[in-house]
Structures are given as structure tokens and as C-alpha cells.
Amino acid sequence: MTAPTSASSTTAPASTTAPASTIAPESAGARPWRGVLVATALPLNDDLSVDHAKYAEHCAWLVENGCDGVVPNGSLGEYQVLTPEERAKVVETAVTAIGGERVMPGVAAYGSAEARRWAEQARDAGCASVMLLPPNAYRADQRSVLAHYAEVAEAGLPVVAYNNPIDTKVDLVPELLAELHAEGYIHAVKEFSGDVRRAYRLAELAPELDLLIGADDVLLELAIAGAKGWVAGYPNALPRASVELYRAAVAGDLATAKKLYEQLHPLLRWDSQVEFVQAIKLSMDIVGRHGGPVRPPRVPLLPGQEAAVRAATERAVAAGLA
């Protein structure tokens, strides 16, 4: 499958909700990836078709509840199993709902040329930045990684690297990230390795490269280490409490942050599990949002997993965190 060359190939539906907040996002301006950007789960109907009206409403609801923006077409958005038409329309729907300055699409693809076309589609749709995994069709070497990011940077939008060595088998170590930044190919990194020690090494090697929290269950540790943003999963279900946690953590209000972190961590840790999409969608359903089903090859949670997610979500609701 190849990506469309522009946003004109599809038309996003108008949002069916009230307009999102007109307050500028924390991430607005020269660094639109700063703040809490939610890697959005994608509402699916029972027949597994994309419900774009519900997606528009979800994006607006997240902003209304304090989030700074959204990241469509990430792993949580099941981009790998979307058609090109669906994937383009998801981006356009988010832009229509909350404005392009708040939208940072994932543009990952097997080929660099295709990833660049997705970046061009995001640019033409009005987005302010994009997020890019390294090559993930094979275990790419350093030269391939550099060439990949160079190609996508040619689309003209700022690129946020996404380091997920667990899934891609390509590790964007601090030294490589520093080189990518020095070449002008990337401006920030969503760090999902789970190794919080890297934050300090990265700050030494590339102090102008923004570190973004990439895994929900190391939020406090990376916030203390100087993270400038959070590409987040669980705000899909619990945005207000999640935003309060992030704001307190980056402000150094550890008393507030630690209490919220302890309360939310039984859920946040699901963001680092294989079943993270199913878990977050279930929590959304429990709090009255539309999570819905997942597309194959993902399958529903096992009974024990569902019980654990349900119990942790219900505790969060009872504690007033929903």
C-alpha cells in the first residue's frame, strides 16, 4: 500500500461536538510537541469500521479536558491495519476537530518514501509536526536510520523520533539521537525504551533535543529528568487526572505527583504491555467513552487480564480520577 500524496484524496467529516477550547496548547509555537499529546485510540464500530464522528468527538473531548493535542496513527491508533484512505481521513478528522497545531500524526511505514508521503499528507492537512519510528521492516543499521530520517525530514515538517526498540528491534541510543539532531533531521524524541538513565546521557549529548515521555509507567521518572512532553496512552480514558499528574511532575510538585502516580500506576503500566490497545480501550468503555473492539490480529483480553484492568479502572473512578 502507498500513501496518498496530499490530503485532498479524502474529506474529513465536520466535528459533531462543540468546538474545542480556543486556548492555545502548551505545545503551540516553535515546539508543538510539548505538553500532553495523547496517542489516540481509534473508535471502531462493531463491524470494525472506523467511526470518524466518534473520533472527532474524542479529540475535542481530550482537549476540553486539558490535553494539549493528539497523535493519530500511532500504535495505539492501530495504524498498521488501516487502509491508506482510513489513515489519511483519521488525520484530517483530527485537524478538523481541534486544529492542525494540536495534531502530530505518526508517519511510520516500511519504506522511507512512503513515510515521507505520509509526512507530506500531514503537512498538507495542516499539521505542525510528525512522529516517526526508525525503519521497522528489518533491523536497520545506523546508516539506514540516518537516511530514513533524512528522507522524511525533506517533507518540511519537524520530525519527532519514536524510539521503541522493543517492537522495532532498532534502538535509537542517545549517541544516534544526538547525530540525528545535529544533522537537523529530528527535533525531539518519544523515548519508550524504559531506561530512564538515557535521559541524562541525552541531555549531555544533545541539550536542545526535547525528551518526550513515551511510556506511561515511567512518567514521573522522566519528568524529573527534564522531559518536555508526554506522548500519552491512558489519558484516552482519564485525561484530567493524567494531565494533573504530568503538570505536577514537570513543575516539581512531587507531593501531588507521587500520590497521583501511585493511584494511576496500576493502569499506566498497561501502556508497556503487549495488550496495551485492548487495555486502554476497555478502560475507555468503563468510564463511559467509546473504546470498542480492536482489529485483528489483535484479540480480546484474556479473562484475567480483563478483570485486572476493570478492577484498576473502577478503583480510579472511585477515587475521583475519571
Side-chain angles (χ1 to χ4, degrees):
M1 296 180 182
T2 56
T5 57
S6 75
S8 62
S9 60
T10 55
T11 302
S15 173
T16 58
T17 65
S21 169
T22 57
I23 299 174
E26 177 181 304
S27 54
R31 301 195 180 197
W33 48 84
R34 289 190 170 185
V36 179
L37 275 66
V38 184
T40 42
L42 191 61
L44 300 179
N45 297 308
D46 290 341
D47 65 358
L48 302 185
S49 62
V50 177
D51 192 323
H52 291 282
K54 280 191 172 68
Y55 183 63
E57 190 274 335
H58 185 56
C59 291
W61 178 78
L62 290 170
V63 170
E64 290 161 4
N65 280 274
C67 301
D68 295 294
V70 300
V71 180
N73 293 335
S75 300
L76 186 50
E78 302 177 73
Y79 80 91
Q80 303 97 328
V81 292
L82 299 181
T83 67
E85 294 76 19
E86 289 172 328
R87 188 169 172 178
K89 193 170 182 179
V90 164
V91 172
E92 294 160 9
T93 299
V95 170
T96 298
I98 61 174
E101 73 280 0
R102 296 182 183 270
V103 180
M104 182 174 76
V107 296
Y110 281 148
S112 300
E114 185 178 359
R116 175 176 174 170
R117 287 194 293 271
W118 282 122
E120 291 168 344
Q121 185 264 335
R123 178 198 66 203
D124 295 346
C127 301
S129 58
V130 295
M131 186 177 72
L132 177 64
L133 285 164
N136 55 28
Y138 65 99
R139 195 186 296 267
D141 61 13
Q142 181 169 328
R143 291 189 305 142
S144 298
V145 171
L146 288 165
H148 183 67
Y149 280 93
E151 175 73 18
V152 176
E154 287 293 323
L157 283 184
V159 175
V160 173
Y162 178 8
N163 185 36
N164 186 348
I166 301 164
D167 290 339
T168 67
K169 311 305 179 188
V170 178
D171 195 354
L172 302 179
V173 296
E175 291 76 12
L176 179 51
L177 288 167
E179 185 172 358
L180 288 165
H181 180 255
E183 293 291 342
Y185 302 152
I186 67 170
H187 297 264
V189 58
K190 174 187 175 181
E191 172 52 50
F192 193 82
S193 71
D195 184 354
V196 299
R197 297 169 297 184
R198 295 186 180 198
Y200 301 96
R201 178 64 172 156
L202 191 60
E204 294 170 7
L205 295 172
E208 294 302 313
L209 179 66
D210 279 351
L211 173 68
L212 308 183
I213 300 157
D216 292 358
D217 57 349
V218 289
L219 180 147
L220 184 57
E221 294 83 355
L222 287 179
I224 292 170
K228 304 300 184 184
W230 177 21
V231 179
Y234 249 95
N236 278 285
L238 302 168
R240 287 193 178 275
S242 298
V243 169
E244 183 182 358
L245 166 59
Y246 171 79
R247 303 273 189 250
V250 296
D253 180 2
L254 297 186
T256 298
K258 188 170 184 295
K259 180 179 179 181
L260 285 167
Y261 199 45
E262 290 171 346
Q263 290 175 304
L264 290 170
H265 211 272
L267 290 171
L268 299 181
R269 67 177 64 115
W270 280 96
D271 187 52
S272 296
Q273 301 299 313
V274 172
E275 302 84 6
F276 72 110
V277 179
Q278 297 94 316
I280 290 172
K281 282 192 164 188
L282 175 58
S283 289
M284 291 171 66
D285 288 333
I286 292 169
V287 302
R289 305 302 300 163
H290 180 86
V294 292
R295 279 189 180 174
R298 287 190 168 92
V299 293
L301 295 171
L302 293 169
Q305 294 170 327
E306 179 177 345
V309 173
R310 186 174 296 278
T313 307
E314 290 173 350
R315 285 196 300 271
V317 171
L321 302 178

